[in-house]
Amino acid sequence: MAVPALAEPLNIVTSITPVQGIVADISAGLQMPELLVPPGVDPHDFTLRPSQIRALQTADIIVLMGNGLEPWWDGVADKIGADTDVIVLGRLPLIGRRLLPMRGAQNAFDPHIWLDPDILQGLGLVLADVLAERDPAGRARYLANRAQMRSALAAARAEIDAQLAPLAPVQLVMGHDSMQYFETAFGLQFAGALSDGFGQDAGAQSLGAIAAMRGPACLVIDVNEANAQGLALMGDAPVVRLDPLGANLLESDNFSASLLRNLAAELRGCAP
């Protein structure tokens, strides 16, 4: 059945900051998706307010990251009507073959897929098609935005490859193990983490291995982390602070490319 053109913009609700930014790359000029989990709030510990549940129930499209990042979704999924499209980015068939296992966990995928430029391109491909189907009148704009996103990501990747080349010998210790996709995409050397991808603290054996490292190293911590333990453990090693969620980039054009560039710019502080 053909979907009629919409008289009003699509009502799109997104879970976390990078999901909002990725969708906004595709919907730019037509609508700004609503964000549920405010910047700076841990999505693992987030609890929906009644007003947010109502926002989900009235949405045309809900976009989630999946793979454990939105544990609150299970409690509300059965309250969403059949007219609402629910897109779980981490479960899309196009993305599945690129998923990486969560380090140190069994039967779990690393959910931080938005840090891989190739995955980002795939997400743009799918989202443009979904939005165009629900809003045929905006199809040309969605497809143009997708082309712009693809071009921006390709340019960012080439720049970042050159910028991060000096980091090849540096052992990166992560405060929170959220950068695996970025490390893999740009050939960075992971040496350990003080907490895993779900926020569980590292054990004594892992901490001992980090303390025993030799050679150039760098501590990479989240902008919202104090991480006194990591600072003490790493001694005089350089420390850089990142925001893998891109909370301050939501007003940027080309959020996805801007996020990758921003992370690379901060990581240059790890260069020996």
Side-chain angles (χ1 to χ4, degrees):
M1 179 185 300
V3 179
L6 295 180
E8 299 180 356
L10 285 172
N11 181 5
I12 307 172
V13 177
T14 58
S15 57
I16 61 174
T17 306
V19 177
Q20 185 190 37
I22 295 165
V23 177
D25 281 349
I26 300 301
S27 66
L30 295 175
Q31 62 272 134
M32 183 63 177
E34 181 177 347
L35 176 65
L36 287 179
V37 182
V41 174
D42 187 340
H44 302 99
D45 300 328
F46 177 70
T47 301
L48 287 168
R49 299 191 304 271
S51 61
Q52 292 173 315
I53 294 175
R54 290 193 293 271
L56 288 167
Q57 291 173 321
T58 58
D60 296 310
I61 300 174
I62 298 169
V63 190
L64 309 169
M65 189 59 67
N67 291 324
L69 266 183
E70 299 106 344
W72 43 265
W73 172 250
D74 291 340
V76 73
D78 62 354
K79 298 180 174 66
I80 307 303
D83 291 339
T84 299
D85 290 331
V86 178
I87 305 168
V88 183
L89 301 179
R91 297 179 188 169
L92 293 173
L94 185 67
I95 306 305
R97 60 187 176 83
R98 301 192 63 89
L99 289 174
L100 298 175
M102 179 73 78
R103 289 188 283 226
Q106 294 184 344
N107 303 317
F109 288 110
D110 187 330
H112 305 90
I113 59 173
W114 66 90
L115 300 178
D116 181 324
D118 291 334
I119 288 179
L120 284 169
Q121 289 207 27
L123 297 179
L125 183 71
V126 173
L127 287 169
D129 288 342
V130 171
L131 298 187
E133 183 176 354
R134 285 298 298 255
D135 177 20
R139 178 179 178 81
R141 186 60 180 263
Y142 297 129
L143 298 186
N145 287 343
R146 179 172 70 187
Q148 171 62 26
M149 180 182 181
R150 182 167 57 244
S151 175
L153 284 169
R157 178 158 203 161
E159 294 170 15
I160 295 169
D161 280 334
Q163 290 173 353
L164 297 185
L167 269 64
V170 178
Q171 303 165 92
L172 300 180
V173 175
M174 302 294 171
H176 173 61
D177 190 5
S178 61
M179 293 284 288
Q180 181 178 191
Y181 288 94
F182 192 92
E183 299 155 16
T184 301
F186 297 105
L188 302 178
Q189 185 181 167
F190 172 79
L194 304 179
S195 68
D196 67 18
F198 291 125
Q200 298 297 312
D201 290 340
Q205 183 176 358
S206 297
L207 294 177
I210 292 171
M213 288 189 317
R214 297 294 180 267
C218 185
L219 176 61
V220 181
I221 58 179
D222 190 281
V223 291
N224 297 312
E225 293 178 327
N227 222 314
Q229 180 189 38
L231 295 172
L233 190 67
M234 296 294 291
D236 295 330
V239 179
V240 299
R241 296 179 181 272
L242 305 180
D243 178 15
L245 295 176
N248 295 323
L249 299 173
L250 289 173
E251 300 301 321
S252 302
D253 293 333
N254 301 312
F255 169 89
S256 300
S258 296
L259 175 59
L260 298 183
R261 283 194 174 98
N262 190 65
L263 294 174
E266 296 298 334
L267 281 170
R268 290 176 64 187
C270 289

